[in-house]
Amino acid sequence: MQIPSIPKGTRDFTPAEMVKRNYIFDSIKDIFRLFGYAPIETPAMENLSTLLGKYGDEGDKLLFRILNSGDFLRDTSPDDFTNPEPGALSAKLCEKGLRYDLTVPFARFVVQHQHEISFPFKRFQVQPVWRADRPQKGRYREFYQCDVDVVGSNSLLNEVELIQIIDKVFDKLGISVTIKLNNRKILAGIAEYINAPHLMTDITIAIDKLDKIGLEKVNEELAGKGLSSSAIEKLQPVMALGGSNHEKLSALKKVLANSETGLMGIAETETVFSLLELSPVTTKIELDLTLARGLNYYTGAIFEVKANDVPIGSICGGGRYDDLTGIFGMKNVSGVGISFGADRIYDVMTQLDVFPKGVSSTTKVLLTYFGEKEQLYSLSLVKKFRDNEISCELYPDVAKLKKSMNYANGKNIPFVIIIGEEEMQSGLLTLKNMETGNQQKLSVAQAISEIIK
Amino acid sequence: MQIPSIPKGTRDFTPAEMVKRNYIFDSIKDIFRLFGYAPIETPAMENLSTLLGKYGDEGDKLLFRILNSGDFLRDTSPDDFTNPEPGALSAKLCEKGLRYDLTVPFARFVVQHQHEISFPFKRFQVQPVWRADRPQKGRYREFYQCDVDVVGSNSLLNEVELIQIIDKVFDKLGISVTIKLNNRKILAGIAEYINAPHLMTDITIAIDKLDKIGLEKVNEELAGKGLSSSAIEKLQPVMALGGSNHEKLSALKKVLANSETGLMGIAETETVFSLLELSPVTTKIELDLTLARGLNYYTGAIFEVKANDVPIGSICGGGRYDDLTGIFGMKNVSGVGISFGADRIYDVMTQLDVFPKGVSSTTKVLLTYFGEKEQLYSLSLVKKFRDNEISCELYPDVAKLKKSMNYANGKNIPFVIIIGEEEMQSGLLTLKNMETGNQQKLSVAQAISEIIK
């Protein structure tokens, strides 16, 4: 019989991986809660009418679709199969799909439950999403997203709090990061200023390549996109922007003096920085005009977080959107949110070796023994450890000591208590520290305090 | 535009529901960990070859299948659609399905990872499962299971520990329960004793109806199943069994004196009871011969837990299986496990009103204020509460006090701090207890200790 396997791009998580992953999730959730965000969950399956058209054509293709249950051919006719058009046919075979991200289900949730919700609605959501992407290193078909959003408030205090959350999360996890900040209105202002509003995305993407390919090549690329030479000329001061955030903003203010939108973006960004002076964070924040993620959807601030010491894509990102719920007919609900990438954070923490030491074991102490009599004695003993909230295992079988020691090592259990005839008579336990190899004879109370310590 | 909805049989969970559900999950997981069980997770999607044939024909029909991505018609020919045979056709359209329970994925996990695992392998798993069941009250198409199992050990200490886990979980959750215990070997012994081993399940099901339909009707039903009158005659003492567990076992020992299997089941059950005397639980345990859940799969102990004060099906159940991993070619790995039904437990706790009081709110204190100046003052203040691990929200907008008060009420926030000119000058905060309506003027430190208290 063949060893069973799992679908490509999916993963099992062993206990050793789970405890580390949970450490990340729990740390993030605790901080979300500290800032007053509350959890929601949505179903893995959504109606395809909710999902389709929300992620572009490419996204539609990457949706996992669920075959209708029962007679799945009920909506089809033989004609559908003679000259099949896959898109139309799959719509007849499937009415549900797996969640592709947490943002669209969140928008759907807000609209569907708008009368039960207190606005501003501060929610977090930590659940898996599924994408039929080609699997490759670091890219999975099932992965978790950790999203935190507030909708129903225009206040820039929300942006500030999200920055504080980012600061606190990565401080807690032990990852040194830089927060990159941009504003969609500034980008729109720049495009307006050079009379090419329709090329905003192309301009941003081109500027993003400055470091890699140099100014000359960037200008060539812009020309290739249809930007006039005078527009490219006008763009040069923007590309030359440097210095502190303050200096960049001052320079931009001159360049965009005639763009109402651009000035609004600058003012928003200045407000965020000045609010942060009242409640400072330790993480470095960098105004970065090349930040263009999710442009077609963000309307104000755009965030991205990079690890300083590990070369990897962004590990957190997000922004302000003014019309997320508009796709479901609920207008004028502005929101802002960010999403933490748990898989990349896991990889960064592994590379930096910053998982706390205790996090790799789940059981604190294993009780093992030499024979039947000792087994019974241990059964009454184990309760005392658990009553003190010590995660404790009683080795279930009478076996050679070596076997239970191997078991303790395999599970990374830091302490083992060995019960023999002598221990039963004296009431003193032999407590072995598995890391140091040190053995002590201790009373139950002493052993408990030694383990807790 | 139509208000969006979710697929029938699925649910959104609002913050108010989530905090209660998490209270249940966290309580259960904490106790699993206390007993040395470690978490694993498996993918939502499994290969259909892993799932098919494991849950009977009915189960196969209830699997949600995922349409192959890309060209999903690639394995089909036009002939497949002229006279379609749905089973064969869906196998060509879909190679993956959604997890139907946590047991089969667990067996697959153990076989796939057998060389990385330390046996006995004590794992817990809390994840959703999906079934294309007809939705009805209390039955969903997506629901969570909370499974805890140990494989690779025959020791009855495992059964005892699972009983201790059940005892601790329901004690913690505040639900009074009865644990019903049976043993598949006793049932086999009874069927053997009346020469009808093939009718074991029918006999058990019939006996189960004793209370409802009475002895005469049960005997009629047994005759209808093909049981001879002499066999029915021989069965009467079993149906008349009563008294304490000890009395039932003594009586059974006489009836099954010639059944090796039956006596083994009795001995196992006696051992479990006597081990429990060494480490007693407070929950009532009742030997119940009518317990027949999952018979075709359990081989030893069978457990079921009933709430004493709410009429609802079992809220936890499980048993010993000697060959779970055999379906994937790994023989002779005995295991025992139980599964907690989170949805029913939620319903029971709601009916009994036993959720702890604090569990309905996520934010401890809301900071609100009268104007712009006070907003800035509050921004520097809020950090002090969070630094003390107090979940705290700063109302993000300058608004009428009534609005932020309504917000606090909507979210069940127990404390509100109101910042006005006076508070800024005196440094004393107005702390309002939202339950009592009581207002106090306090320093920040006093407010913090009042809230923590």
Side-chain angles (χ1 to χ4, degrees), chain B residues 47-77:
Chain B
N47 291 321
L48 279 173
S49 56
T50 298
L51 301 177
L52 285 170
K54 309 304 190 300
Y55 307 105
D57 290 348
E58 197 48 35
D60 283 355
K61 281 187 204 140
L62 299 182
L63 290 172
F64 279 111
R65 290 152 198 254
I66 315 274
L67 193 68
N68 290 338
S69 40
D71 174 17
F72 56 85
L73 294 173
R74 62 182 172 268
D75 293 333
T76 65
S77 69

Side-chain angles (χ1 to χ4, degrees), chain A residues 268-415:
Chain A
E268 285 178 10
T269 310
E270 283 178 336
T271 302
V272 168
F273 281 121
S274 72
L275 286 173
L276 278 169
E277 275 166 29
L278 289 173
S279 187
V281 297
T282 54
T283 304
K284 190 183 162 202
I285 306 173
E286 197 181 289
L287 180 64
D288 181 351
L289 294 182
T290 70
L291 208 64
R293 51 179 297 138
L295 262 191
N296 40 355
Y297 156 139
Y298 293 129
T299 51
I302 304 174
F303 307 101
E304 199 165 89
V305 181
K306 292 274 210 172
N308 290 333
D309 305 315
V310 177
I312 198 167
S314 82
I315 53 180
C316 175
R320 160 126 355 227
Y321 39 82
D322 277 343
D323 198 24
L324 183 66
T325 55
I327 50 176
F328 299 114
M330 188 178 173
K331 299 284 178 200
N332 301 319
V333 182
S334 183
V336 57
I338 51 174
S339 181
F340 289 82
D343 287 303
R344 282 190 180 164
I345 291 173
Y346 185 98
D347 290 347
V348 169
M349 291 182 70
T350 303
Q351 249 177 279
L352 296 175
D353 194 17
V354 289
F355 281 106
K357 228 172 129 238
V359 97
S360 64
S361 74
T362 48
T363 301
K364 272 285 205 188
V365 57
L366 174 74
L367 257 72
T368 187
Y369 40 78
F370 287 105
E372 297 270 352
K373 248 187 343 200
E374 290 93 339
Q375 185 188 51
L376 299 182
Y377 179 79
S378 305
L379 176 60
S380 51
L381 202 58
V382 67
K383 186 174 183 302
K384 297 183 182 161
F385 291 89
R386 292 184 185 141
D387 284 348
N388 283 278
E389 302 295 326
I390 295 172
S391 166
C392 184
E393 284 184 56
L394 181 59
Y395 195 76
D397 301 288
V398 176
K400 291 232 168 75
L401 196 59
K402 190 161 177 253
K403 210 171 159 189
S404 55
M405 286 295 175
N406 283 342
Y407 176 80
N409 278 323
K411 278 189 84 164
N412 246 323
I413 301 176
F415 293 98

